[in-house]
Amino acid sequence: ESICKQREHDLTCEDERLKLESAALARMHGEVALHKEHVERREIKLDERRDSLNQSEIQLAQEVAVGEDALQQLMANVEKSEQDLHKREAHLRMREEELRRREAESFQELAANRDKLQQQVAELETLQQHITELEEREQQLFQSYADRSQKREVEEDRL
């Protein structure tokens, strides 16, 4: 009888431990879900930034086209005035340098965004692996709980 009581007490303790572990796993699962939502919001923001950069590239291309049109106009007016030509050439050089600088900055920002996205993808993969491990552990706990419950019922039936 004391052995049965001890076993019943041991099983009760084990049930409590399993319930606590299950609750801890549920909390961890919730934390992972919150982190995943945060990452998804960051991805949305990065997508918006990428769209903005794409708009900037379109504007940059339009500005380059405007610069090219201005250059053609200058060539047509070469005979008009040598001094005027020098002023326009200097202006175009400054404009071209600015466009190149802005283009280089845009490419750097795109590369940085790509790196950030790759890092977030790696983080998401790690989180997904962790979720899978947690789900497997949860399944093991449920199976262990079911096995112990079945053993307890068998023990009770024997008694």
Side-chain angles (χ1 to χ4, degrees), residues 2 7 11 15-16 30-31 42-43 46 54 57 67 84 100 105 108 130 132 146 149 153:
S2 72
R7 283 188 180 170
L11 289 173
D15 282 349
E16 288 299 317
E31 290 171 5
R42 286 180 65 195
E43 284 181 334
L46 286 174
N54 288 340
E57 284 185 49
D84 194 37
R100 284 182 183 158
E105 289 173 357
Q108 288 174 347
H130 188 63
T132 301
S149 293
E153 288 175 13

Side-chain angles (χ1 to χ4, degrees), residues 4-155:
C4 288
K5 285 183 180 181
Q6 181 61 41
R7 283 188 180 170
E8 184 175 327
H9 175 72
D10 291 346
L11 289 173
T12 301
C13 290
E14 183 65 18
D15 282 349
E16 288 299 317
R17 186 186 64 76
L18 288 173
K19 286 177 185 177
L20 290 174
E21 283 185 14
S22 180
L25 283 173
R27 280 193 306 277
M28 288 173 68
H29 195 296
E31 290 171 5
V32 167
L34 286 174
H35 186 69
K36 183 178 178 183
E37 288 176 14
H38 176 72
V39 169
E40 288 172 354
R41 284 194 302 271
R42 286 180 65 195
E43 284 181 334
I44 290 170
K45 287 180 183 177
L46 286 174
D47 287 343
E48 291 171 356
R49 287 182 68 195
R50 186 177 351 141
D51 292 343
S52 174
L53 285 173
N54 288 340
Q55 273 304 110
S56 296
E57 284 185 49
I58 290 170
Q59 290 173 344
L60 186 62
Q62 291 171 345
E63 289 175 8
V64 167
V66 167
E68 290 173 353
D69 289 344
L71 181 60
Q72 289 177 357
Q73 184 179 7
L74 278 174
M75 294 179 130
N77 294 329
V78 165
E79 297 173 16
K80 184 178 179 183
S81 167
E82 187 71 24
Q83 184 181 17
D84 194 37
L85 175 64
H86 290 298
K87 288 180 183 179
R88 288 178 188 252
E89 286 176 347
H91 173 73
L92 284 175
R93 281 190 203 110
M94 288 175 37
R95 183 75 175 156
E96 188 174 344
E97 288 173 9
E98 175 65 19
L99 291 174
R100 284 182 183 158
R101 184 188 61 77
R102 289 173 61 189
E103 183 179 43
E105 289 173 357
S106 292
F107 285 126
Q108 288 174 347
E109 288 178 15
L110 284 172
N113 285 340
R114 182 195 68 229
D115 293 343
K116 286 178 187 176
L117 282 173
Q118 287 173 345
Q119 180 182 2
Q120 288 179 343
V121 165
E123 290 174 3
L124 280 175
E125 289 172 354
T126 301
L127 286 174
Q128 184 61 45
Q129 182 180 6
H130 188 63
I131 287 170
T132 301
E133 291 170 4
L134 288 174
E135 289 172 348
E136 289 172 1
R137 179 66 180 139
E138 183 179 88
Q139 185 61 37
Q140 291 171 357
L141 288 172
F142 284 139
Q143 186 62 44
S144 175
Y145 179 77
D147 290 345
R148 291 184 190 271
S149 293
Q150 186 178 10
K151 285 179 183 178
R152 184 182 312 126
E153 288 175 13
V154 168
E155 284 290 328

